[in-house]
Amino acid sequence: MPTTTLAASADVATCWHPDAFAAPPDSSAAAHPSRTRAWAAAWQRQTTETILTHRHLHLNDGTQHQTVSFHLTPADGSPYWTSQETDAGTAPVWPGPVLWAGSPHAEYGGAGTASPAIARTTVAEGLRLADELGACALAFPGLDAHQAYLLTAAPHGARPALDLATDVAFTRPLGTSLDQWWQNIPVRHRRDNRRQWRRGTEAGLTLTALTGPTLHAALSTFADLANTTADRHGTRLYGLDMLQHLTTVPGTVLLAAHDINAGLAGGLYGWIHDGCLYLWASGIDYTHPAARYTYTWLMNDVARWAIEHGAHTIDAGRWNCKAKRRLGYQPAVLRTVVHLTDSARPATATALTDLSLRLGAHAAPYLDPDNSPW
């Protein structure tokens, strides 16, 4: 049953719901696939990220209506966050369960930032829930700078709030033709990209967009490839159940590189959403004869496919900075806001700050200092 609570602001009405689809509609369309109600509903069912419990808060300030999905995980329950710790070379930072507004697996967050009043209330209600559930922190991942500001602007007693840079996302406009795509790749990398794309094509790679039953049929093989790729970076990120549940998000597609024998040489799992192709998970068969070309071939051929299907932008996901910069993508720093629920744990704040600084050192060579400050 929905539970109505006293909001942090008299101007914001709140109501808790046990299921993502039980909450009333939001006033604005979701900005990204991971902000959709379908994503939240899928996430509460998947088991790769360990979800101990979930609640969904609907907020209404009289103009904006927005729902925030909270998921409680154990300290080590999120493979994506573990990958951040691995990349940073730090020990695990959380001393206990964490209440996430969304999930670190979702590239973008921002729910609960529709207005300053909604942001204040989201934090206040989230902290109440965190206290109730025994979480050591309330965390909002995948934020831009303005969203992070809104979620840290209002102090909440003696609880420390941290605004940390933790990720780099990469996007670029597609243009209206493949020629335009090539022209917007940096000159010093253009020839090599075209050469690898040509070599992959000559090796027999063809692109197939898998949806519906054909997507489900390929998911087991793709999950193995995606985890083999992730394992090379130190952390197993994807579960078959995760990929299966996320097929319910509108626009889901697996862009698969097949060879002439119809074998899956690699693929990119993502969504077409509001004119943007979001690439979320990649998997490469490193035993395939064309393995040295497959990733670059895919990244260029999916651009061709997206242009042909009317997309205007491509979002290549997070990290793998060098390869994406070589393809002409522009970086954007994403932030995580953390409200610690126990101010007697300064070591956690220190560990989180150190993790951010270490990740920033990895990102620094690929950022534009004037536009993407860490």
Side-chain angles (χ1 to χ4, degrees), residues 39 43 49 51 71 73 77-84 94 98 100-108 139-142 167 280 318 336:
W39 177 291
W43 207 258
E49 182 174 83
I51 306 297
H71 300 92
T73 72
S78 175
Y80 184 80
W81 185 266
T82 298
S83 75
Q84 297 284 74
W94 304 117
V98 180
W100 298 97
S103 164
H105 277 273
E107 182 177 3
Y108 296 106
F140 296 82
D167 271 303
W280 182 71
R318 294 170 288 190
T336 299

Side-chain angles (χ1 to χ4, degrees), residues 16-39:
W16 288 97
H17 297 270
D19 182 82
F21 277 118
D26 291 354
S27 55
S28 301
H32 310 288
S34 52
R35 285 272 297 278
T36 61
R37 203 67 61 88
W39 177 291

Side-chain angles (χ1 to χ4, degrees), residues 261-275:
N261 298 312
L264 186 62
L268 297 167
Y269 184 103
W271 297 270
I272 284 278
H273 178 89
D274 195 23

Side-chain angles (χ1 to χ4, degrees), residues 117-191:
I118 283 179
R120 289 193 299 271
T121 304
T122 297
V123 172
E125 293 295 297
L127 283 169
R128 289 185 190 182
L129 180 61
D131 285 339
E132 175 189 327
L133 298 175
C136 74
L138 168 66
F140 296 82
L143 308 172
D144 63 30
H146 179 65
Q147 292 165 343
Y149 168 77
L150 288 175
L151 292 166
T152 57
H156 290 273
R159 304 171 190 257
L162 302 173
D163 178 359
L164 305 166
T166 51
D167 271 303
V168 186
F170 289 89
T171 60
R172 60 163 287 187
L174 280 161
T176 57
S177 68
L178 190 58
D179 283 343
Q180 207 168 9
W181 168 263
W182 295 125
Q183 290 167 12
N184 288 325
I185 291 176
V187 173
R188 64 186 180 279
H189 302 305
R190 194 178 302 159
R191 173 183 281 186

Side-chain angles (χ1 to χ4, degrees), residues 5-56:
T5 60
L6 180 65
S9 167
D11 298 327
V12 179
T14 64
C15 190
W16 288 97
H17 297 270
D19 182 82
F21 277 118
D26 291 354
S27 55
S28 301
H32 310 288
S34 52
R35 285 272 297 278
T36 61
R37 203 67 61 88
W39 177 291
W43 207 258
Q44 68 189 36
R45 299 193 304 273
Q46 63 76 48
T47 59
T48 303
E49 182 174 83
T50 306
I51 306 297
L52 301 174
T53 190
H54 55 86
R55 309 277 178 81
H56 308 271

